[in-house]
């Protein structure tokens, strides 16, 4: 067998795991979007930048692992890993971020009510 043919299973597995790890970039974009009060414009900008970064990661990893040959199984492995990460870890991370965000906002509201509860007396 040729060297390229014998290394295809390891290339598939490495690209799959790189796809899983690259899926955390979308989780990071969701986390950053929480700081912008879940603004729709920043969400689209962050998703756009995440997608560009995904293509960059795929091209560099394909260049290193598969000698730059773009084959169907490479794309399938990377996208498969990305989809599995988004369906499993991505959902859990999104729920965790929502709970933490709600908890922090509730604490800040309570603190804000405590601080803004004092009103200055009007001098007439």
């Amino acid at each position: 067998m040729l060297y390229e043919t014998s290394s295809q299973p390891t290339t598939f597995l490495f690209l799959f795991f790189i796809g899983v790890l690259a899926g955390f970039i979308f989780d990071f974009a969701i986390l950053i979007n929480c700081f912008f009060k879940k603004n729709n414009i920043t969400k689209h900008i962050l998703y756009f930048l995440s997608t560009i970064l995904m293509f960059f990661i795929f091209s560099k990893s394909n260049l290193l692992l598969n000698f730059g040959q773009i084959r169907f199984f490479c794309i399938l492995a990377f996208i498969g890993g990305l989809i599995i990460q988004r369906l499993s870890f991505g959902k859990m991370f999104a729920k965790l971020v929502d709970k933490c965000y709600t908890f922090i906002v509730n604490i800040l509201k309570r603190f804000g009510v405590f601080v803004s509860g004092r009103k200055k007396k009007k001098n007439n």
Side-chain angles (χ1 to χ4, degrees):
M1 280 170 99
L2 295 173
Y3 176 71
E4 293 86 8
T5 309
S6 65
S7 68
Q8 285 180 359
T10 56
T11 302
F12 183 86
L13 285 176
F14 279 134
L15 283 173
F16 179 81
F17 288 126
I18 290 172
V20 169
L21 292 175
F24 287 107
I25 293 172
F26 283 106
D27 293 334
F28 186 67
I30 290 171
L31 182 65
I32 291 175
N33 193 28
C34 286
F35 293 116
F36 293 107
K37 296 184 179 180
K38 298 185 180 183
N39 188 354
N40 212 10
I41 295 171
T42 58
K43 181 176 87 171
H44 289 300
I45 291 171
L46 289 171
Y47 280 170
F48 176 73
L49 292 175
S50 299
T51 305
I52 295 295
L53 191 57
M54 287 296 141
F55 284 122
F56 181 74
I57 289 172
F58 173 73
S59 65
K60 288 297 179 182
S61 61
N62 188 37
L63 184 64
L64 291 173
L65 295 172
N66 202 22
F67 309 110
Q69 296 177 356
I70 297 179
R71 296 182 179 168
F72 182 69
F73 80 91
C74 297
I75 297 170
L76 181 69
F78 187 80
I79 292 176
L82 184 67
I83 289 173
I84 288 176
Q85 190 277 339
R86 295 301 303 147
L87 291 177
S88 59
F89 296 118
K91 298 262 185 199
M92 289 188 298
F93 185 76
K95 288 179 184 179
L96 180 69
V97 166
D98 272 345
K99 287 182 181 180
C100 290
Y101 177 77
T102 306
F103 179 73
I104 291 171
V105 166
N106 288 338
I107 287 177
L108 290 178
K109 281 183 182 177
R110 288 180 187 167
F111 182 71
V113 169
F114 178 74
V115 172
S116 66
R118 295 188 204 169
K119 294 184 179 178
K120 293 183 180 180
K121 295 181 181 178
K122 293 184 181 179
N123 292 332
N124 286 335

